């Protein structure tokens, strides 16, 4: 590690651990490269958490499979009781009896009850009553899960794929930018930037908090270029691209904002490795003035960069 970085004051561990594992502790999508072992195999909270956070396709598919499985179980129960205890117009073939049992179960579970099939015996009525109760509880649970998914505030911030080392006020600056991909309003947006370095002697990681030119903005209707000025006080002052690569540098980003729609605080995170830092380049403008005088922002240009002078290298 460069002697300049050895003299740099080190901040507390961010919570990722000091042991060096993969080259990055935080993936581009904000997930962590940390695997926790020894946890209980089943916890009710984890089940709720997975149902709330999984993708919509998987969630709806799981609900559909649960609906089919529940009806199949009760259909077999009705077949076991005997379809002669039901008033129906279907035949006595197994396929016809199974079909009637399944659709009677679906009508009972959803409390639709078309009336084409009705239970007559005590046991058939008891099982139908039990299924009706289960249907009310399961649909209440599904409604709660749907509400939880819709009401959970989620950040939809997109970060630039690359960070740049560009000229900034007579020095250089480490820069990345981000944009809100939703039409909702975010206010009081705060950014935190930390530098993670691997010590080759001990194979442990060190963490340095990098001060920002502007750590907070009050309004976020367009894009935001976050800048760490590399002046004489910066931990990156005098450091080269090769030095960052040798130290397996990782720039960890945490964004905190207040979602005006849900009136809740949201978070987003990402990281940039040394290979994802473009030296001697700057971002191209995203905002333009439209014909009607409105400011127009081209989100497709978030990753647009242009080369300047050759990058400073070892």
């Amino acid at each position: 590690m460069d002697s300049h970085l050895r003299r740099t004051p080190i901040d507390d561990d961010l919570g990722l651990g000091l042991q060096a594992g993969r080259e990055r502790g935080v993936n581009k999508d904000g997930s962590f490269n940390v695997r926790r072992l020894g946890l209980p195999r089943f916890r009710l909270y984890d089940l709720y958490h997975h149902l709330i956070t999984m993708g919509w396709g998987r969630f709806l598919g799981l609900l559909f499979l649960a609906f089919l499985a529940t009806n199949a179980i009760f259909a077999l129960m009705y077949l076991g009781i005997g379809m002669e205890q039901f008033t129906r117009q279907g035949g006595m073939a197994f396929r016809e009896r199974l079909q009637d049992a399944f659709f009677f179960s679906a009508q009972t579970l959803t409390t639709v009850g078309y009336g084409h099939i009705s239970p007559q015996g005590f046991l058939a009525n008891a099982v139908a009553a039990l299924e009706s109760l289960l249907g009310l509880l399961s649909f209440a649970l599904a409604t709660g899960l749907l509400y939880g998914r819709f009401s959970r505030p989620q950040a939809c911030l997109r970060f630039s794929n690359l960070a740049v080392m560009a000229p900034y006020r007579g020095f250089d600056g480490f820069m990345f930018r981000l944009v809100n991909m939703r039409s909702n309003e975010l206010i009081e947006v705060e950014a935190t930037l930390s530098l993670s370095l691997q010590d080759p002697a001990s194979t442990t990681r060190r963490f340095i908090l990098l001060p920002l030119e502007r750590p907070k903005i009050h309004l976020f209707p367009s894009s935001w270029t976050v800048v760490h000025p590399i002046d004489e006080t910066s931990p990156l002052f005098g450091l080269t691209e090769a030095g960052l690569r040798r130290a397996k540098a990782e720039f960890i980003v945490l964004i905190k904002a207040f979602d005006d729609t849900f009136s809740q605080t949201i978070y987003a995170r990402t990281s940039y490795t040394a290979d994802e830092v473009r030296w001697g380049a700057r971002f191209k403008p995203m905002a333009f003035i439209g014909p009607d005088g409105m400011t127009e922002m081209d989100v497709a240009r978030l990753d647009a960069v242009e080369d300047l002078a050759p990058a400073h290298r070892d």
Side-chain angles (χ1 to χ4, degrees):
M1 187 179 298
D2 290 9
S3 59
H4 172 71
L5 290 177
R6 292 195 184 99
R7 296 192 300 268
T8 302
I10 304 301
D11 293 302
D12 292 337
D13 177 18
L14 296 181
L16 298 174
L18 299 179
Q19 294 296 323
R22 295 188 176 183
E23 287 192 3
R24 70 192 321 153
V26 180
N27 296 315
K28 297 294 288 183
D29 62 357
S31 59
F32 299 111
N33 284 320
V34 178
R35 182 184 298 116
R36 287 178 289 180
L37 305 177
L39 295 176
R41 290 185 176 274
F42 176 79
R43 291 184 296 180
L44 188 59
Y45 173 79
D46 283 345
L47 177 61
Y48 174 78
H49 174 76
H50 290 318
L51 291 173
I52 288 292
T53 57
M54 68 173 55
W56 275 104
R58 186 180 175 189
F59 175 74
L60 295 176
L62 188 61
L63 286 184
F64 181 70
L65 289 177
F67 178 77
L68 290 181
T70 303
N71 285 309
I73 292 173
F74 276 96
L76 293 177
M77 293 177 64
Y78 293 135
L79 285 177
I81 294 173
M83 294 305 294
E84 61 274 5
Q85 296 196 37
F86 293 82
T87 301
R88 64 190 187 91
Q89 299 177 355
M92 295 306 295
F94 177 77
R95 183 183 62 82
E96 296 174 322
R97 290 186 291 119
L98 178 61
Q99 177 178 296
D100 286 347
F102 180 85
F103 286 114
F104 172 74
S105 173
Q107 296 166 19
T108 304
L109 187 69
T110 57
T111 67
V112 173
Y114 289 115
H116 297 294
I117 306 175
S118 60
Q120 298 299 319
F122 171 79
L123 188 56
N125 278 284
V127 175
L130 176 63
E131 186 177 11
S132 298
L133 176 61
L134 180 63
L136 291 174
L137 295 177
S138 60
F139 278 96
L141 178 60
T143 302
L145 290 174
L146 286 172
Y147 174 78
R149 293 178 65 89
F150 278 112
S151 62
R152 186 173 66 94
Q154 287 182 294
C156 192
L157 300 178
R158 182 185 167 194
F159 298 89
S160 56
N161 289 327
L162 297 176
V164 298
M165 291 287 190
Y168 180 77
R169 295 185 178 179
F171 297 93
D172 284 337
F174 173 85
M175 308 178 189
F176 66 93
R177 63 183 178 183
L178 63 151
V179 66
N180 183 17
M181 299 298 291
R182 289 180 175 168
S183 58
N184 64 331
E185 298 298 332
L186 300 180
I187 58 177
E188 303 295 332
V189 186
E190 301 178 22
T192 302
L193 178 63
S194 299
L195 174 62
S196 173
L197 302 167
Q198 182 174 336
D199 189 341
S202 60
T203 66
T204 59
R205 299 204 67 90
R206 310 170 69 189
F207 298 91
I208 307 170
L209 184 63
L210 300 180
L212 301 177
E213 168 257 351
R214 184 180 294 109
K216 181 178 180 179
I217 57 176
H218 299 289
L219 303 174
F220 190 34
S222 58
S223 64
W224 182 19
T225 301
V226 181
V227 181
H228 164 65
I230 307 178
D231 54 18
E232 295 90 342
T233 63
S234 170
L236 298 178
F237 185 76
L239 191 63
T240 62
E241 181 179 3
L244 280 181
R245 292 178 183 272
R246 284 195 300 268
K248 297 183 178 180
E250 178 186 10
F251 297 87
I252 302 174
V253 180
L254 175 64
I255 301 295
K256 175 183 176 182
F258 186 81
D259 190 327
D260 196 35
T261 302
F262 292 95
S263 295
Q264 294 188 38
T265 302
I266 60 174
Y267 297 89
R269 54 187 177 266
T270 190
S271 72
Y272 298 92
T273 62
D275 295 331
E276 296 166 342
V277 179
R278 185 92 164 262
W279 290 68
R282 67 182 179 187
F283 289 112
K284 295 181 179 180
M286 294 178 58
F288 307 92
I289 303 299
D292 58 352
M294 290 284 290
T295 300
E296 297 179 348
M297 185 180 58
D298 188 358
V299 177
R301 294 172 61 89
L302 179 66
D303 300 316
V305 298
E306 58 183 354
D307 291 323
L308 299 174
H312 299 287
R313 302 176 185 270
D314 280 347

